[in-house]
Amino acid sequence: MDNYKLHFIPLGGVVGVTKNMYVYELYKNDALQDIIIVDCGIGFPQEKELGVDFVIPDISYLKDKTDKIRALLFTHGHEDHIGAASYHYEALGKPQIYTSKLTTMFLEHKFKEAGRVPHMEVIKFGRDYTFGGFTVRFIPITHSIPDSMHILIKSPVGTTYHGPDFKLDLTPPYGLLPDFYEITKAGKEGVLALMSDALGADHPGLTASEKIVGQTFEDEMRGTKGKFIMTTFSSNISRIRQCVEAAIKFNRKIVFLGRSMKENSNTAHDIGYLPIPDQFLLKEEEVMQLPPNKVCIICAGSQGQYGSALFKLANNKNKNIKIKQGDKVLFSSDPIPGNENEVYALIEDLTLKGADVIYSDIADQLHASGHGSQEDLKFLMRFTNPKYCVPIGGTIRHQREYQKLAVDLGMEKNDVYMLDEGDTLWFSKNKVQTGEKVETKQIYVDAYGVGDVGSVVLRDRHTLSEEGIVVALLIIDNNGNLVSTPKILSRGFIFEQEGQGIFEEAGQKVESALLPRVGRLSDKSALKKEVGQIMEEFFFKARGRHPLIVVDVIQI
Amino acid sequence: MDNYKLHFIPLGGVVGVTKNMYVYELYKNDALQDIIIVDCGIGFPQEKELGVDFVIPDISYLKDKTDKIRALLFTHGHEDHIGAASYHYEALGKPQIYTSKLTTMFLEHKFKEAGRVPHMEVIKFGRDYTFGGFTVRFIPITHSIPDSMHILIKSPVGTTYHGPDFKLDLTPPYGLLPDFYEITKAGKEGVLALMSDALGADHPGLTASEKIVGQTFEDEMRGTKGKFIMTTFSSNISRIRQCVEAAIKFNRKIVFLGRSMKENSNTAHDIGYLPIPDQFLLKEEEVMQLPPNKVCIICAGSQGQYGSALFKLANNKNKNIKIKQGDKVLFSSDPIPGNENEVYALIEDLTLKGADVIYSDIADQLHASGHGSQEDLKFLMRFTNPKYCVPIGGTIRHQREYQKLAVDLGMEKNDVYMLDEGDTLWFSKNKVQTGEKVETKQIYVDAYGVGDVGSVVLRDRHTLSEEGIVVALLIIDNNGNLVSTPKILSRGFIFEQEGQGIFEEAGQKVESALLPRVGRLSDKSALKKEVGQIMEEFFFKARGRHPLIVVDVIQI
């Protein structure tokens, strides 16, 4: 009998929550046969305050295997599941993409930005797809974006249920219900491993339906005499749709603010997921011409991002729209941990401008998580009845809480595998063992492009943020002479005026150190290094601190 | 094509919650073919305080049709689903009984008390049963007693999902999990009507698992130096089992108090549902010989019933067992509305005896309802995806709340049928209409037997409870002469001593009224009536009240 093995490799998504990318490899008699990949999203690193926009998965592991990649599947249209696709698509050998309608549309935007849109297959539910030795079935599930899916991955080794980001929403405002029959049928037929969302594993109970927020929108709109401004994640199409429906009910015209918000609502509108009668669509420039109680603004920037549409409104920087007394701003999202300061600063700014700001500390039902709580997660475990569990999309804390839930349902603790990025599992029939760890690097992306931001840059940014910077400029002539006393600049180190004396002193220190070699200062690299050391020592002695020292030599 | 119709008749269980009995009739071209009956339980009437023990369903409707009854099915072993079986079994023509193991055992007790135990078929899950034109499938479900079931009833008209008393318990302490696959498969194949438990329709969220109570038992036992006494419904085998497990863990021996508690725990023990090592079983007489922290008493009477085992303990009327300082009494059940006074009186008595009493007003997680809350009910609706819904086992309030839930899930209000007892529905393919109402009477059962307690008796009891009673005794001789002044007795009317004068006056009034006819007082019946009227008028004039007047004539 042939000896099949299934190799499961999370290239992201575990522990770090975001940057989801999962590789399933099928081996026959130790020879790799087929690969399918689920999701390829961006991540949000701890170092975001240092100017890194996001991280993307490291796909080095797949470098020599792209000919075996049979399909690239996407579970839903959130950035952390699709955002890296356009970066890696070519390097993955342009695999065939399969996903749901809305996700296709969101991917199309990503690919457009990157230059070329590949063909993508919009999947059908209730049928099997064959990808080499894999047979795959897509299952409708509910999350905070329509067209979310779970994926049943069958192979000669057994069936894995790939179940990321979900909650069991019995009344989704838009889109399909979870297909409980398909899910429980998988369980009946036997699931070897369940890869499950775990982000809500520390929340008791069942996550509220997205629908509760729709009622809140209506209630809040009813009493608002000014403009109604709602902010949420721009991918949360269900939320946006509910706000639109309430606005239409209360005869308010709708305007979208923020690039991503405009883009996503356009996309959803185009494919019929966000119907808005034409007469309800408002242009930004028209807003202030209407009575304020005829306006509903749906706005990006719910996390207090600097420069976002809501930030501009709060800081009087939107040239068309001003916040006035009587306006209401509703935050329909909770601050992501780490963003609290920005969000609260925004709330204060909006309040100062006269707006009535409603956010989750002072009101209920403004937001429903897209992630299942303990009971949702337990239901999925019971439905699929897996032999093994792998919590994905949660931090270590969530993984542990998930493990407790599994134990609570009678599973063995050891049958719940808590993986770190690059950790792998080898499944064979009814068995599993941990495999060798796959090396993964952090690949940073900022405004300048992918991978430009290495760890050195990040360390610099870290130093900058804590110690400031001192720049020394040396001007030398062709003969290797110092043209003038080195010029010293600084930012974020010490107060400029106070520092004037110390900088002059530093300049002189450098000058006198170089004096013996005047006329021979031609090795710029050595010069930079030497001056750097002198200054580092000097400033540490003078101030006990280690600013980032930058030395530049200009030859004239 | 043949014209099939399905006639659904609740003979109890709707509106009144208890006294569950549902009739399904299959007609072909308007001729009755087959009947199946689900459950046959007792009810607890409003008039319970007047000495009625319970009510049973009125089966007059089935009188001339017993030859069509193909099966009598029971969903679970609670009194309000099985308690009337022994009363009606013969009158129903001794139909074949099908149910689960534990229910069979509980029924056996009922039938034994009544004289003869019929053969009962213990059903198997995962297979179909054919009863005439019906095909029936039993589905494991969770409730507060193991071996609970839902029943899928298929006929040429369509499928009805008979779904009484349940919650979706993902961690039942004993017994099978809900079979989500079978339930959703029914939904996938098409359910015409869902008859659903509705009792928890006004509770938001998901009902807690029975398992939470087990942890509470352990926590409470850990800190208790005296005897540990737990009281709950005697049919709640899961609860009892959890208490037993905690007792064994803390090395306490176990004694059961109360007839029903002993009987049910014995039954469950006999079939392996309540394992207790022999050395942990304690006799009532041995309790006080053990150190109190080695004793666990599981006790009937959680509703404060007069004369119950717990009532006796609280009132020092158990000759073997006394409540002492340091004992702990845990109420693992909430008072049924109407029983609050009795329960609180009991709590006070126990506290006065020195016990530490734990009940749900002062502690959480002492009790988990056996009935699903809103989310449980919504899940069942989503799983089965019915065309019509019939809330059963709830009052009108619960029916309305259930209807709201259904509407919330997108059903039409008119597709939820809120039936009263005897209301009927006629189903044909994809359609339903309300049928003619079936007449049902209240059949009262008290200690003297079935039906002895007519409405006259109840009216009397009602009068007694509000106005008291006056009894007049007339003694006449064979010649129709009054032997003495009529003797007047009273209870509950006016204070005896105060009343002495008025009773003498009444006696004289009667005597003088009869004087003209002395020697002709032979028609006892007429005499009773006349005297009754005289007294009624007299007491109403004298005191403005209408006590129950009883006249008896003794001939010597």
Side-chain angles (χ1 to χ4, degrees), chain B residues 213-499:
Chain B
V213 185
Q215 190 54 53
T216 305
F217 288 158
E218 290 191 15
D219 294 345
E220 292 290 345
M221 254 182 225
R222 188 173 291 115
T224 301
K225 294 191 174 129
K227 300 191 285 296
F228 186 89
I229 300 159
M230 191 278 282
T231 181
T232 190
F233 296 107
S234 58
S235 59
N236 197 337
I237 298 300
S238 305
R239 190 72 48 88
I240 294 166
R241 187 181 160 113
Q242 293 197 92
C243 188
V244 163
E245 283 171 357
I248 291 172
K249 194 162 172 179
F250 286 93
N251 207 21
R252 288 176 182 261
K253 297 193 176 191
I254 298 143
V255 61
F256 295 98
L257 293 189
R259 193 181 67 96
S260 60
M261 189 60 87
K262 284 179 183 172
E263 196 176 283
N264 287 347
S265 58
N266 264 338
T267 301
H269 182 256
D270 287 351
I271 58 170
Y273 284 28
L274 188 62
I276 311 176
D278 282 347
Q279 71 271 28
F280 275 96
L281 281 169
L282 188 62
K283 289 203 178 98
E284 215 173 310
E285 308 87 64
E286 301 165 342
V287 166
M288 301 306 280
Q289 294 155 25
L290 280 186
N293 67 354
K294 293 283 166 260
V295 174
C296 173
I297 298 170
I298 299 177
C299 187
S302 63
Q303 293 299 312
Q305 302 95 312
Y306 180 88
S308 68
L310 189 60
F311 180 90
K312 284 181 187 160
L313 278 184
N315 291 281
N316 216 0
K317 286 182 176 164
N318 182 309
K319 64 178 195 297
N320 292 306
I321 306 175
K322 305 294 171 200
I323 298 285
K324 300 273 183 194
Q325 195 77 31
D327 289 353
K328 182 172 277 177
V329 181
L330 195 148
F331 279 77
S332 188
S333 62
D334 288 326
I336 291 173
N339 293 349
E340 291 89 348
N341 289 346
E342 286 83 353
V343 171
Y344 288 122
L346 196 55
I347 290 172
E348 298 214 349
D349 286 338
L350 288 162
T351 306
L352 284 173
K353 298 279 174 310
D356 184 13
V357 186
I358 312 290
Y359 53 102
S360 62
D361 293 357
I362 59 165
D364 286 338
Q365 311 202 330
L366 298 182
H367 173 57
S369 171
H371 294 271
S373 304
Q374 291 175 350
E375 298 301 326
D376 302 75
L377 299 176
K378 280 154 72 178
F379 266 114
L380 188 63
M381 273 190 251
R382 282 296 186 222
F383 290 162
T384 56
N385 193 26
K387 198 164 158 60
Y388 305 106
C389 276
V390 183
I392 58 176
T395 66
I396 293 171
R397 169 171 59 100
H398 300 114
Q399 291 180 335
R400 286 195 195 282
E401 289 298 322
Y402 188 88
Q403 189 183 44
K404 280 188 209 162
L405 295 180
V407 169
D408 203 35
L409 296 200
M411 284 191 77
E412 294 295 325
K413 205 170 163 181
N414 291 336
D415 289 341
V416 181
Y417 284 83
M418 300 189 288
L419 305 186
D420 197 355
E421 189 176 298
D423 284 348
T424 72
L425 292 175
W426 284 98
F427 293 97
S428 47
K429 270 216 187 282
N430 291 314
K431 273 194 304 193
V432 65
Q433 350 180 223
T434 50
E436 218 165 283
K437 194 179 171 83
V438 164
E439 279 293 324
T440 58
K441 295 191 310 292
Q442 290 287 72
I443 304 181
Y444 298 99
V445 180
D446 73 1
Y448 298 106
V450 185
D452 285 354
V453 197
S455 57
V456 174
V457 174
L458 284 176
R459 201 176 56 232
D460 285 355
R461 288 181 185 172
H462 187 75
T463 306
L464 277 169
S465 72
E466 296 200 341
E467 308 270 353
I469 184 171
V470 175
V471 181
L473 290 171
L474 284 82
I475 303 171
I476 55 172
D477 62 18
N478 283 334
N479 303 322
N481 293 313
L482 212 54
V483 173
S484 67
T485 303
K487 173 80 183 161
I488 315 281
L489 303 166
S490 121
R491 284 293 180 278
F493 172 47
I494 48 174
F495 190 51
E496 197 86 359
Q497 283 166 313
E498 178 202 346

Side-chain angles (χ1 to χ4, degrees), chain A residues 168-172 177 179-182 184-185 188 206 211 375 378-379 382-383 407-410, chain B residues 168-172 177 179-182 184-185 188 205-206 211 375 378-379 382-383 407-410:
Chain A
L168 298 179
D169 193 339
L170 300 181
T171 50
L177 283 163
D179 192 331
F180 295 113
Y181 171 68
E182 285 277 347
T184 57
K185 183 157 74 80
K188 178 82 175 177
L206 203 64
K211 195 177 177 182
E375 298 300 327
K378 280 153 73 176
F379 266 114
R382 282 294 185 223
F383 289 162
V407 168
D408 203 36
L409 297 201
Chain B
L168 299 179
D169 193 338
L170 299 181
T171 50
L177 283 163
D179 191 331
F180 295 114
Y181 171 67
E182 285 277 346
T184 57
K185 185 157 73 83
K188 179 81 174 177
L206 202 63
K211 195 177 176 182
E375 298 301 326
K378 280 154 72 178
F379 266 114
R382 282 296 186 222
F383 290 162
V407 169
D408 203 35
L409 296 200

